[in-house]
Amino acid sequence: MPHPDDASRLLQLAHEAHARGDALLHLQLDIAQLTGQTSTWGSADNRMMRDDHVGYFLSEVEKIGWRLEHTGYAFVQSGATTSARIFGTGEGQVMHGGVDGYFTFRAV
């Protein structure tokens, strides 16, 4: 589930668009974050933190009177950290960023 403030804002947009009679609704959600820390050995320790409640949120949008038509996803890199490996065997890199979900709904 998106952050409560974001969820409220997006659901309000869905209600307003439906009340206006819009045919389509397009929403963007953060659905995962890639984080990590450098290691003293210079290796990367990346971890993906997923939002397992996205389906619940999408169901709430559909309850308003929308039907999910299309989805798309993109990784948006926000940075990276590199560190030298201990025995001079190159560098380790830790990526940072998020996976954004793009959801297009059609009015029922």
Side-chain angles (χ1 to χ4, degrees):
M1 179 89 170
H3 185 275
D5 292 339
D6 290 335
S8 294
R9 179 182 61 82
L10 293 171
L11 288 173
Q12 183 63 33
L13 287 173
H15 279 288
E16 291 170 359
H18 195 266
R20 273 194 313 266
D22 292 1
L24 296 173
L25 173 69
H26 186 75
L27 300 177
Q28 176 182 345
L29 299 172
D30 296 330
I31 61 169
Q33 293 294 318
L34 180 64
T35 62
Q37 297 180 2
T38 55
S39 162
T40 56
W41 295 95
S43 60
D45 181 23
N46 285 329
R47 291 209 170 99
M48 183 66 75
M49 295 171 35
R50 294 169 184 81
D51 183 349
D52 295 328
H53 299 95
V54 172
Y56 173 79
F57 176 78
L58 297 176
S59 295
E60 292 299 307
V61 174
E62 286 204 348
K63 287 179 185 177
I64 295 169
W66 298 99
R67 286 292 170 251
L68 184 61
E69 287 282 315
H70 181 76
T71 62
Y73 302 90
F75 176 72
V76 181
Q77 183 176 343
S78 61
T81 305
T82 59
S83 59
R85 291 195 172 140
I86 192 162
F87 294 110
T89 58
E91 293 182 332
Q93 185 174 37
V94 176
M95 304 286 292
H96 303 280
V99 176
D100 286 349
Y102 301 90
F103 304 94
T104 303
F105 296 84
R106 182 172 300 280
V108 177

